[in-house]
Amino acid sequence: LQAYSCIDILMMNGIISFIKDWVLVIAMVCGAAAYLVYINIPAFAPADPVLYHAVSVLQPTLLFLLLFLTFCRISPKDMRPRKWHLWLLVFQTGVFICLALMEIFLPGEHWKVLLESAMVMFICPTATAAAVVTGKLGGDMPGITTYLILINLATAITVPVVVPFVHPAEDMTFLMSFSLIMAKVFPLLICPCILAWVVRFTMPKFHRRIVRYENLPFYIWAVNLMLAILMTVRSIVHSTVPAGYQVGIAAISLACCVIQFRLGRAVGSRYGASVTSGQALGQKNTVFAIWMGYTFMTPVTSIAGGFYSIWHNAFNSWQLYRHRKSGT
């Protein structure tokens, strides 16, 4: 019986270790599998609008909670600009503007969707969950959180200025575009920050209790990732985009992912922030990218955000596994 119990304990420890190592991959597989099973059961079809609404409400709620817990762990005095912030801001806005100029002045329509997909992926702000991964990898959480705020503001200004030259729209002014983006960003970025700082300075006991749960934000993100991949698979399955375009957009999003992670790490290494800078530039708010594609670009480009979600989360899973095994 003792030997049997020891084997059980070893097997359980092995399973727990496997789940910890690959929790993001498991979340991605579960999200994709859940939707593929769901659409193949006709009896579930009438529930589609209700479930879609439920996920649409649950996702931002989890993101709000995730950011609140993250801001609770960061002191306001640590949220100051770093030197690498400027280089990343110049890169993201500069590439976005250059790609827009290419679209304006170069003839032809066949490559337009691919070019706009790249535009969306380069200007897209840092993911709200990036601080969680950065902390797990031993990076600078206050640094990446500060960049998260800066790049959202930069995007809110750059997109309304540049997009009218690519997609002229008489009823879409700068102020209207700016307001749309800020309405999308403010509730899930600034509000959790304000709430976290109110808790920090007015309810210190409650604040200390919250920050004790170090891994809670990570597992909240894993649940949100499962929902994000579920919605990504849904958008790809129901997409009317020709397969050739989908392959092209998937390739463009993969190239953008590789370039931004590598360049971010290269820039950050000059300032002792390789991990943080790499995550700041490479890990994207793909929900925002999908929305931006629908709202400001050719709607087809929205699926670039879905594909990017797969690439950057797969890379993050590998990074976390390697970091855990190295013990550094």
Side-chain angles (χ1 to χ4, degrees):
L1 287 173
Q2 282 185 336
Y4 183 73
S5 298
C6 288
I7 292 171
D8 281 349
I9 292 170
L10 288 172
M11 288 181 64
M12 185 60 67
N13 287 339
I15 292 170
I16 293 172
S17 178
F18 176 81
I19 292 173
K20 286 181 177 179
D21 288 342
W22 298 106
V23 63
L24 300 187
V25 173
I26 293 169
M28 292 169 68
V29 171
C30 287
Y35 188 74
L36 292 175
V37 170
Y38 166 77
I39 61 170
N40 284 290
I41 300 178
F44 289 160
D48 190 66
V50 176
L51 293 175
Y52 179 80
H53 177 72
V55 173
S56 299
V57 172
L58 185 57
Q59 270 192 297
T61 303
L62 289 174
L63 284 174
F64 186 98
L65 181 58
L66 173 66
L67 272 178
F68 168 71
L69 293 171
T70 301
F71 279 119
C72 280
R73 303 184 62 80
I74 298 171
S75 174
K77 65 181 180 181
D78 293 329
M79 290 185 63
R80 61 185 186 280
R82 274 69 163 168
K83 290 181 179 179
W84 56 267
H85 287 168
L86 177 61
W87 293 109
L88 297 196
L89 287 170
V90 169
F91 172 77
Q92 287 196 247
T93 55
V95 171
F96 181 73
I97 293 169
C98 289
L99 291 173
L101 290 172
M102 286 175 62
E103 182 170 349
I104 293 167
F105 292 110
L106 292 180
E109 293 291 331
H110 297 293
W111 45 265
K112 186 175 180 179
V113 169
L114 302 181
L115 197 59
E116 289 186 9
S117 297
M119 288 173 65
V120 170
M121 295 295 54
F122 277 113
I123 197 60
C124 182
T126 306
T128 50
V132 177
V133 181
T134 301
K136 285 284 184 181
L137 294 173
D140 176 14
M141 288 180 67
I144 197 169
T145 305
T146 304
Y147 186 75
L148 175 64
I149 295 171
L150 293 175
I151 188 56
N152 273 282
L153 291 174
T155 301
I157 295 170
T158 306
V159 171
V161 170
V162 174
V163 167
F165 294 99
V166 180
H167 284 280
E170 293 181 2
D171 59 339
M172 187 70 77
T173 64
F174 169 83
L175 187 59
M176 189 179 297
S177 300
F178 180 82
S179 300
L180 278 173
I181 295 174
M182 290 308 296
K184 191 78 175 174
V185 169
F186 187 87
L188 289 179
L189 183 63
I190 307 301
C191 292
C193 178
I194 294 171
L195 180 60
W197 289 349
V198 167
V199 169
R200 173 183 283 270
F201 294 115
T202 63
M203 295 179 276
K205 289 185 179 179
F206 180 58
H207 178 262
R208 285 195 296 270
R209 186 176 299 175
I210 290 173
V211 297
R212 269 191 238 147
Y213 301 100
E214 294 184 12
N215 290 319
L216 182 58
F218 181 74
Y219 291 110
I220 290 174
W221 178 47
V223 173
N224 199 69
L225 173 59
M226 182 181 71
L227 296 176
I229 294 298
L230 185 150
M231 297 301 284
T232 295
V233 172
R234 181 182 185 274
S235 67
I236 293 172
V237 168
H238 293 285
S239 175
T240 57
V241 180
Y245 266 118
Q246 289 200 37
V247 171
I249 292 172
I252 288 292
S253 64
L254 176 59
C256 291
C257 184
V258 172
I259 290 169
Q260 291 184 98
F261 268 112
R262 288 182 66 87
L263 184 66
R265 281 181 165 268
V267 170
S269 64
R270 294 174 176 269
Y271 303 99
S274 177
V275 169
T276 310
S277 181
Q279 293 304 125
L281 191 57
Q283 190 173 343
K284 298 292 188 181
N285 184 349
T286 53
V287 173
F288 182 88
I290 292 168
W291 172 80
M292 195 170 81
Y294 272 118
T295 308
F296 297 104
M297 302 291 187
T298 307
V300 172
T301 61
S302 62
I303 65 172
F307 284 117
Y308 197 100
S309 177
I310 296 170
W311 309 139
H312 79 162
N313 281 303
F315 181 65
N316 281 335
S317 297
W318 177 76
Q319 285 191 108
L320 290 166
Y321 173 76
R322 187 179 64 173
H323 182 79
R324 183 178 172 84
K325 289 303 178 184
S326 66
T328 57

